[in-house]
Amino acid sequence: MGIFIVIFFCFRNYMRARTQQLSGIKWAFYTFMAVIAGWFAGSMIMITILMIRFPELLQVAGSPDITPQEVSAYILERVNPIVADIFMLFCGLGGYLFVRHRLIKKALPPSP
């Protein structure tokens, strides 16, 4: 679902840039990078929240006897993954809105 939202955001800014006679590909790329950066920032915030809320998670994740699947199961028992996904999507939305704001504020090129 997340990839469809990224494509939608890129397409929206691509069309907005084309109506302002700017390079649509360039602005779609900027949108893609900003959404991915927002998503990354959201995931880092979510990891920080998890580490603060569940301090034993660091011990579980650092234990050499536990597999990554067991760590995932441990996290899924305590956190609803839908909430984490929605939070990261909203952080990605912030990246889209940032690029959209920059695109709207960009001055139109002079007409010939």
Side-chain angles (χ1 to χ4, degrees):
M1 178 175 147
I3 191 70
F4 296 117
I5 292 174
V6 173
I7 291 170
F8 176 74
F9 289 160
C10 290
F11 179 73
R12 294 282 299 165
N13 277 348
Y14 172 83
M15 294 307 290
R16 186 170 281 113
R18 296 300 295 165
T19 58
Q20 290 186 358
Q21 300 171 350
L22 298 170
S23 173
I25 298 293
K26 179 173 84 170
W27 284 97
F29 178 72
Y30 289 160
T31 303
F32 177 77
M33 295 305 290
V35 169
I36 296 299
W39 221 334
F40 180 75
S43 65
M44 290 295 109
I45 292 169
M46 206 60 210
I47 288 172
T48 304
I49 290 171
L50 283 175
M51 291 299 175
I52 291 171
R53 190 166 175 202
F54 304 110
E56 69 275 2
L57 180 63
L58 190 57
Q59 294 171 350
V60 170
S63 176
D65 301 333
I66 298 178
T67 65
Q69 291 81 14
E70 292 172 338
V71 173
S72 296
Y74 179 82
I75 293 172
L76 288 176
E77 289 174 1
R78 287 155 178 79
V79 179
N80 186 356
I82 302 297
V83 173
D85 286 342
I86 290 173
F87 179 75
M88 290 186 291
L89 286 175
F90 274 108
C91 290
L93 174 69
Y96 160 72
L97 292 175
F98 173 74
V99 173
R100 179 176 174 236
H101 172 75
R102 300 280 301 178
L103 184 59
I104 289 172
K105 295 296 179 185
K106 185 114 174 123
L108 291 172
S111 37

